[in-house]
């Protein structure tokens, strides 16, 4: 059975357009509440959000949905996605909800759901909730309607939790750090945690106005961060996205460090310190071949999953791994959380910076990436990847690579895009192949 509402990371889309309407949000609350109301205890859901304007509307609709089926609601306001996962588990809630469209512009929004264990829901759970969306809600009796209240200590709890991810001896005194919070969910908690650990801070993207989330800032646009790091003589730059579950780093020379290099650093560092489990790390099919070769040189393995941090997590659980992530900057460290956490990942990088005494440019470029090109082709509808012309050009490209590279062509789970990625040792060949495939996809997508 194919899901109609849930993508690779919850439900997402332009607000006030199906499915991101207040009406659907209320129904999601009712359906998810129905699925998680089990037993006779008072049921509780924790709801957080990022800073986009539509968060108020979606939050109120979800509160109405959950309370109408008998669930109490705890509202924590603007908080990172991993904070909602943590609070859902630590507060013994039956469900956690994050209202966010992550790195998307403010016009979009989304709903991410977490179970009582703090992990994102399984495909099975999401399908069950979708089934309830088409049925009449099971409304609570008047005396059983849920209550809603705001929880004022959420920020303090999360700041304490992320600081505890570092050993006691690690302090950030003497480090000048530029942090860009994308005018998003972490605009208060991430700078507070770094400051409390002793860092000298320069902050960017910490003045949200409802419409500037991810706009020319954060992990998807690091130009200002690069300029600020170099101009200020900072030791490192940290960029989070709108809901702070992903991380991109800029070294002291202004060079961008992606998730693959971060996984190489964290994986090898944890391995040296006897912390790494599973004999390697988990990444997606999009991670660079250079990462795989580096890990092999360290006698570590790389397990690849489908794109999406939930699939990374599935492979981590299956193989007993405690480090995994995506090239885009999602970092999952199961010793410290149940989902991607950009701030905790940044602290692991800063720990290595402190312990090594070396500059960021030296510790953060552990391998030479294989030439890799990723292009997106937007389409209006249909299934371009099922077209015979597209299948044919992909087959020809695979023959041309002849085992000396990789192709990953897939439909995005969050946007109407076909993502075309090619990598190999011959840069010219990779560019030609990518262009050829994109041209054919564009042709059939018109």
């Amino acid at each position: 059975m194919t899901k109609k509402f849930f993508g690779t990371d919850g439900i997402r889309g332009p607000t006030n357009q199906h499915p991101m309407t207040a009406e659907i949000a209320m129904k999601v609350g009712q359906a998810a509440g129905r699925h998680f109301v089990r037993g006779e205890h008072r049921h509780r859901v924790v709801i957080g959000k990022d800073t986009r304007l539509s968060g108020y509307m979606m939050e109120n609709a979800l509160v109405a949905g959950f309370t109408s089926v008998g669930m109490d609601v705890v509202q924590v306001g603007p908080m990172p996605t991993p904070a909602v996962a943590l609070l859902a588990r630590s507060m013994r809630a039956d469900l956690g909800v994050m209202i966010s469209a992550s790195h998307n512009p403010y016009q979009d929004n989304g709903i991410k759901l977490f179970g009582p264990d703090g992990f994102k829901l399984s495909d099975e759970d999401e399908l069950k909730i979708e089934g309830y969306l088409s049925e009449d809600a099971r409304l609570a009796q008047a005396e059983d309607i849920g209550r809603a209240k705001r929880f004022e200590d959420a920020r303090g709890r999360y700041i304490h939790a992320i600081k505890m991810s570092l050993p006691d001896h690690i302090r950030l005194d003497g480090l000048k750090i530029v942090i860009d919070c994308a005018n998003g969910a972490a605009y208060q908690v991430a700078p507070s945690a770094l400051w409390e650990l002793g860092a000298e801070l320069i902050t960017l993207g910490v003045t949200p106005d409802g419409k500037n989330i991810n706009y020319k800032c954060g992990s998807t646009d690091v130009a200002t961060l690069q300029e600020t790091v170099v101009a200020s003589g900072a030791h490192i730059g940290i960029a989070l996205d709108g809901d702070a579950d992903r991380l991109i780093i800029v070294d002291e020379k202004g060079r961008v460090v992606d998730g693959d290099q971060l996984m190489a650093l964290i994986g090898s560092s944890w391995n040296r310190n006897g912390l790494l489990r599973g004999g390697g790390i988990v990444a997606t099919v999009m991670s660079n071949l250079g990462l795989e070769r580096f890990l092999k040189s360290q006698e570590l393995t790389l397990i690849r999953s489908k794109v999406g941090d939930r699939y990374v997590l599935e492979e981590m659980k299956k193989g007993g791994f405690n480090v995994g992530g995506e090239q885009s900057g999602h970092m999952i460290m199961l010793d410290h959380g149940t989902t991607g956490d950009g701030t905790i990942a940044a602290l692991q990088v800063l720990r290595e910076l402190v312990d090594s005494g070396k500059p960021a440019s030296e510790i953060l470029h552990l391998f030479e990436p294989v030439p890799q090109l990723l292009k997106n082709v937007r389409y209006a509808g249909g299934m371009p990847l099922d077209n015979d012309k597209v299948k044919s050009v992909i087959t020809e490209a695979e023959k041309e690579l002849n085992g000396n590279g990789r192709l990953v062509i897939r439909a995005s789970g969050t946007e109407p895009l076909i993502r075309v990625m090619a990598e190999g040792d011959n840069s010219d060949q990779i560019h030609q192949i990518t262009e050829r495939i994109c041209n054919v996809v564009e042709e059939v997508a018109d």
Side-chain angles (χ1 to χ4, degrees):
M1 184 177 175
T2 303
K3 290 184 287 186
K4 298 178 181 178
F5 291 89
F6 287 91
T8 56
D9 198 15
I11 303 170
R12 189 180 299 183
T15 49
N16 276 346
Q17 296 181 35
H18 184 84
M20 289 312 301
T21 65
E23 179 185 12
I24 295 296
M26 185 179 73
K27 289 182 177 179
V28 169
Q30 291 172 331
R34 174 178 172 180
H35 185 57
F36 281 93
V37 170
R38 304 161 181 171
E40 299 301 320
H41 65 280
R42 290 297 302 178
H43 292 79
R44 175 187 291 175
V45 54
V46 174
I47 299 181
K49 61 183 179 180
D50 63 23
T51 57
R52 62 194 74 221
L53 182 62
S54 58
Y56 296 99
M57 176 183 76
M58 303 306 291
E59 181 181 29
N60 288 330
L62 283 162
V63 169
F66 282 116
T67 54
S68 73
V69 295
M71 291 193 85
D72 292 336
V73 176
V74 177
Q75 297 165 266
V76 299
M79 289 287 286
T81 288
V84 172
L86 180 149
L87 290 166
R89 186 169 61 167
S90 69
M91 297 180 69
R92 298 175 63 184
D94 300 275
L95 186 64
V97 181
M98 180 64 183
I99 304 167
S100 174
S102 189
H103 58 280
N104 288 26
Y106 87 91
Q107 294 92 340
D108 293 350
N109 216 329
I111 300 171
K112 303 180 184 184
L113 302 178
F114 295 89
D117 56 1
F119 290 104
K120 289 181 180 177
L121 301 190
S122 65
D123 288 333
E124 182 181 359
D125 282 325
E126 290 181 346
L127 281 169
K128 195 74 172 178
I129 290 169
E130 283 204 357
Y132 291 147
L133 286 173
S134 61
E135 301 178 10
D136 291 336
R138 291 185 179 177
L139 301 178
Q141 296 296 316
E143 65 271 18
D144 296 324
I145 290 172
R147 299 173 184 270
K149 64 179 181 180
R150 295 204 171 269
F151 181 58
E152 303 299 336
D153 192 36
R155 266 184 281 166
R157 283 203 188 191
Y158 179 63
I159 290 170
H160 176 73
I162 56 180
K163 285 168 61 180
M164 290 297 290
S165 69
L166 287 179
D168 290 341
H169 73 278
I170 296 294
R171 293 283 304 173
L172 305 182
D173 303 277
L175 282 184
K176 180 184 282 190
I177 300 170
V178 183
I179 181 166
D180 184 343
C181 296
N183 291 312
Y187 78 99
Q188 294 172 314
V189 292
S192 294
L194 293 175
W195 182 84
E196 289 178 19
L197 286 165
E200 177 186 346
L201 286 185
I202 298 173
T203 55
L204 303 172
V206 292
T207 55
D209 63 8
K211 298 181 180 181
N212 61 0
I213 186 170
N214 300 314
Y215 180 70
K216 294 184 178 180
C217 60
S219 63
T220 54
D221 191 337
V222 296
T224 301
L225 178 63
Q226 290 174 286
E227 294 171 5
T228 306
V229 167
V230 174
S232 66
H235 295 94
I236 197 168
I238 294 168
L240 304 172
D241 69 336
D243 68 337
D245 65 353
R246 73 167 67 183
L247 166 73
I248 294 295
I249 292 286
V250 170
D251 69 21
E252 82 282 3
K253 297 180 180 179
R255 292 187 296 173
V256 177
V257 182
D258 68 10
D260 283 348
Q261 296 284 3
L262 298 179
M263 282 187 282
L265 174 69
I266 294 171
S268 58
S269 171
W270 281 31
N271 187 49
R272 285 195 312 274
N273 292 312
L275 301 174
L276 192 68
R277 298 197 304 272
I281 67 174
V282 178
T284 75
V285 293
M286 302 299 288
S287 278
N288 195 276
L289 188 58
L291 172 61
E292 189 170 341
R293 291 172 178 173
F294 168 78
L295 292 171
K296 188 175 181 180
S297 74
Q298 304 290 305
E299 298 184 347
L300 298 173
T301 58
L302 175 65
I303 302 299
R304 292 186 184 270
S305 75
K306 292 192 295 184
V307 172
D309 62 329
R310 59 182 300 174
Y311 301 114
V312 171
L313 182 59
E314 286 177 7
E315 292 295 335
M316 290 174 69
K317 288 181 174 180
K318 189 187 303 181
F321 297 90
N322 60 345
V323 174
E326 298 186 273
Q327 188 182 64
S328 60
H330 282 111
M331 300 287 128
I332 303 174
M333 289 148 290
L334 286 179
D335 291 5
H336 304 299
T338 55
T339 189
D341 192 320
T343 310
I344 285 183
L347 290 181
Q348 301 309 305
V349 174
L350 295 173
R351 172 186 178 175
E352 187 66 13
L353 199 64
V354 171
D355 278 342
S356 70
K358 298 176 181 178
S361 58
E362 190 171 331
I363 69 168
L364 285 167
H365 302 277
L366 295 178
F367 65 88
E368 189 65 35
V370 170
Q372 185 184 82
L373 185 60
L374 171 64
K375 294 194 71 174
N376 296 321
V377 180
R378 188 167 292 275
Y379 65 99
M383 305 284 286
L385 296 185
D386 290 340
N387 185 279
D388 287 340
K389 286 185 178 180
V390 175
K391 290 180 179 179
S392 177
V393 74
I394 292 171
T395 299
E396 291 171 5
E398 287 172 338
K399 288 180 180 177
E400 185 177 333
L401 287 171
N402 194 30
N404 294 316
R406 295 189 312 125
L407 286 178
V408 181
I409 296 104
R410 66 182 184 89
S412 168
T414 58
E415 301 174 82
L417 299 173
I418 300 298
R419 303 195 189 279
V420 179
M421 190 277 281
E423 69 174 356
D425 293 315
N426 186 324
S427 180
D428 290 339
Q429 181 187 45
I430 293 306
H431 277 77
Q432 291 169 9
I433 285 174
T434 304
E435 287 298 322
R436 199 156 65 237
I437 295 173
C438 286
N439 287 340
V440 175
V441 172
E442 286 177 348
E443 178 187 329
V444 304
D446 287 340

